[in-house]
Coordinates of all heavy atoms in Angstrom, one line a residue:
P111 N 28.2 -81.1 -22.1 CA 27.3 -82.3 -22.3 C 25.8 -82.0 -21.8 O 25.1 -82.9 -21.6 CB 28.0 -83.4 -21.5 CG 28.6 -82.7 -20.4 CD 29.1 -81.3 -20.9
E135 N 17.9 -27.9 -28.1 CA 19.3 -27.4 -28.5 C 20.4 -28.0 -27.7 O 20.2 -28.1 -26.4 CB 19.4 -25.9 -28.5 CG 18.5 -25.2 -29.5 CD 18.8 -23.7 -29.5 OE1 19.9 -23.4 -29.4 OE2 17.8 -22.9 -29.7
L153 N 12.0 -41.9 -14.1 CA 11.1 -42.7 -15.1 C 10.9 -44.1 -14.6 O 11.5 -45.0 -14.8 CB 11.9 -42.7 -16.4 CG 12.3 -41.4 -17.1 CD1 13.2 -41.6 -18.3 CD2 10.9 -40.7 -17.5
K167 N 23.2 -34.2 -37.0 CA 22.6 -33.1 -37.9 C 22.9 -33.4 -39.3 O 24.0 -33.6 -39.7 CB 23.3 -31.8 -37.4 CG 22.7 -30.6 -38.2 CD 23.3 -29.3 -37.7 CE 22.9 -28.1 -38.5 NZ 23.5 -26.9 -38.0
D174 N 15.0 -28.2 -36.6 CA 14.0 -27.4 -36.0 C 13.9 -27.8 -34.5 O 13.4 -28.9 -34.2 CB 12.6 -27.7 -36.7 CG 11.5 -26.9 -36.1 OD1 11.8 -26.0 -35.3 OD2 10.3 -27.2 -36.4
R186 N 10.2 -51.5 -23.6 CA 9.5 -51.5 -22.3 C 10.3 -52.2 -21.2 O 10.2 -51.9 -20.0 CB 8.2 -52.3 -22.5 CG 7.4 -52.6 -21.2 CD 6.8 -51.2 -20.8 NE 6.1 -51.3 -19.5 CZ 6.7 -51.3 -18.3 NH1 8.0 -51.2 -18.2 NH2 5.9 -51.4 -17.2
Q193 N 22.6 -59.7 -26.6 CA 21.8 -59.9 -27.9 C 20.5 -58.9 -27.8 O 20.2 -58.2 -28.8 CB 21.3 -61.3 -28.0 CG 22.4 -62.3 -28.4 CD 23.2 -62.7 -27.2 OE1 22.9 -62.4 -26.0 NE2 24.4 -63.2 -27.5
Q194 N 19.9 -58.9 -26.7 CA 18.8 -58.0 -26.5 C 19.2 -56.5 -26.6 O 18.5 -55.7 -27.2 CB 18.0 -58.3 -25.2 CG 17.4 -59.6 -25.1 CD 16.7 -59.8 -23.7 OE1 17.1 -59.2 -22.7 NE2 15.7 -60.7 -23.7
A239 N 15.9 -87.1 -5.8 CA 17.1 -87.1 -4.9 C 17.9 -85.7 -5.1 O 17.8 -85.2 -6.2 CB 18.0 -88.3 -5.1
C240 N 18.5 -85.3 -4.1 CA 19.3 -84.1 -4.2 C 20.7 -84.2 -3.4 O 20.7 -84.9 -2.4 CB 18.5 -82.9 -3.6 SG 19.5 -81.3 -3.6
P245 N 32.0 -76.9 -4.4 CA 32.7 -77.1 -5.6 C 34.2 -76.9 -5.3 O 35.0 -77.4 -6.2 CB 32.1 -76.1 -6.5 CG 31.6 -75.0 -5.6 CD 31.0 -75.7 -4.4
Q254 N 19.9 -86.0 0.4 CA 18.6 -86.3 0.9 C 17.7 -86.8 -0.2 O 17.8 -86.5 -1.4 CB 18.0 -85.1 1.6 CG 18.7 -84.7 2.9 CD 18.6 -85.6 4.0 OE1 17.5 -86.3 4.1 NE2 19.6 -85.8 4.8
L306 N 23.3 -68.9 3.9 CA 23.4 -70.4 3.9 C 23.4 -71.0 2.5 O 22.6 -70.6 1.7 CB 22.2 -71.0 4.8 CG 22.2 -72.5 5.0 CD1 23.4 -72.9 5.9 CD2 20.9 -72.9 5.6
E317 N 13.3 -81.8 -11.7 CA 13.1 -80.4 -11.5 C 12.4 -80.2 -10.2 O 11.4 -80.8 -9.9 CB 12.3 -79.9 -12.7 CG 12.1 -78.3 -12.6 CD 11.3 -77.8 -13.8 OE1 10.8 -78.6 -14.6 OE2 11.1 -76.6 -13.8
L342 N 22.3 -41.7 4.1 CA 22.2 -40.8 5.2 C 22.6 -39.3 5.0 O 22.0 -38.4 5.5 CB 23.0 -41.3 6.4 CG 22.6 -42.7 6.9 CD1 23.5 -43.2 8.0 CD2 21.1 -42.6 7.5
Y346 N 29.2 -36.9 9.4 CA 29.7 -37.6 10.7 C 29.3 -39.0 10.7 O 30.0 -39.9 11.1 CB 29.1 -36.7 11.9 CG 29.5 -35.3 11.9 CD1 28.5 -34.3 11.6 CD2 30.8 -34.9 12.1 CE1 28.9 -33.0 11.6 CE2 31.2 -33.5 12.1 CZ 30.2 -32.6 11.9 OH 30.5 -31.3 11.9
R401 N 36.5 -33.3 10.3 CA 37.9 -33.9 10.2 C 37.7 -35.4 10.1 O 37.0 -36.0 10.9 CB 38.7 -33.5 11.4 CG 40.2 -34.0 11.3 CD 41.0 -33.7 12.6 NE 41.1 -32.3 12.8 CZ 42.1 -31.5 12.3 NH1 43.0 -32.1 11.5 NH2 42.3 -30.3 12.6
P423 N 42.6 -56.3 2.5 CA 43.7 -56.7 3.4 C 44.9 -55.7 3.2 O 45.1 -55.2 2.0 CB 44.0 -58.1 3.0 CG 42.8 -58.6 2.2 CD 42.2 -57.4 1.7
A437 N 38.6 -45.3 -12.4 CA 38.8 -44.7 -13.7 C 38.1 -45.6 -14.7 O 37.5 -45.1 -15.7 CB 40.2 -44.4 -13.9
V457 N 40.3 -35.9 -15.9 CA 39.7 -35.9 -17.3 C 40.2 -34.6 -18.0 O 40.0 -33.5 -17.4 CB 38.1 -35.9 -17.2 CG1 37.6 -35.8 -18.6 CG2 37.7 -37.1 -16.5
D458 N 40.8 -34.8 -19.1 CA 41.4 -33.5 -19.8 C 42.3 -32.7 -18.9 O 42.3 -31.5 -18.9 CB 40.3 -32.7 -20.4 CG 39.7 -33.3 -21.6 OD1 40.2 -34.3 -22.1 OD2 38.5 -32.8 -22.0
D483 N 28.5 -33.4 -10.1 CA 27.8 -32.1 -10.5 C 27.8 -31.2 -9.3 O 26.9 -30.6 -8.8 CB 26.3 -32.4 -10.9 CG 25.7 -31.1 -11.5 OD1 26.4 -30.2 -11.9 OD2 24.4 -31.1 -11.4
Q529 N 24.3 -43.8 -11.4 CA 25.1 -44.4 -12.5 C 26.5 -44.7 -12.0 O 27.2 -45.7 -12.3 CB 25.1 -43.5 -13.7 CG 23.8 -43.7 -14.6 CD 24.0 -43.0 -16.0 OE1 25.1 -42.5 -16.2 NE2 23.1 -43.0 -16.7
Q579 N 42.6 -31.4 17.2 CA 43.7 -32.2 16.6 C 44.6 -31.4 15.6 O 45.4 -32.0 14.9 CB 42.9 -33.3 15.7 CG 42.4 -34.4 16.6 CD 43.4 -35.3 17.3 OE1 44.4 -35.7 16.7 NE2 43.2 -35.6 18.6
T613 N 53.1 -6.3 20.6 CA 54.0 -5.2 20.8 C 53.5 -4.0 20.0 O 53.0 -4.3 18.9 CB 55.4 -5.5 20.7 OG1 55.6 -5.9 19.3 CG2 55.9 -6.5 21.6
I628 N 45.7 -7.5 26.1 CA 45.0 -8.4 25.1 C 45.7 -9.7 24.9 O 45.2 -10.7 24.8 CB 44.8 -7.6 23.8 CG1 43.7 -6.4 24.1 CG2 44.2 -8.5 22.8 CD1 43.5 -5.5 22.9
E633 N 45.7 -15.9 25.8 CA 46.4 -17.2 26.0 C 45.4 -18.1 26.7 O 44.7 -17.8 27.7 CB 47.6 -16.9 26.9 CG 48.7 -16.2 26.2 CD 50.0 -16.0 27.0 OE1 49.9 -16.3 28.2 OE2 51.0 -15.5 26.5

Side-chain angles (χ1 to χ4, degrees):
E135 294 188 37
L153 297 173
K167 181 179 178 181
D174 181 12
R186 177 66 183 85
Q193 291 76 18
Q194 290 178 338
C240 176
Q254 292 290 329
L306 183 67
E317 183 179 3
L342 297 175
Y346 304 108
R401 186 185 294 274
V457 180
D458 287 345
D483 191 22
Q529 278 193 1
Q579 287 292 317
T613 59
I628 292 176
E633 292 182 356

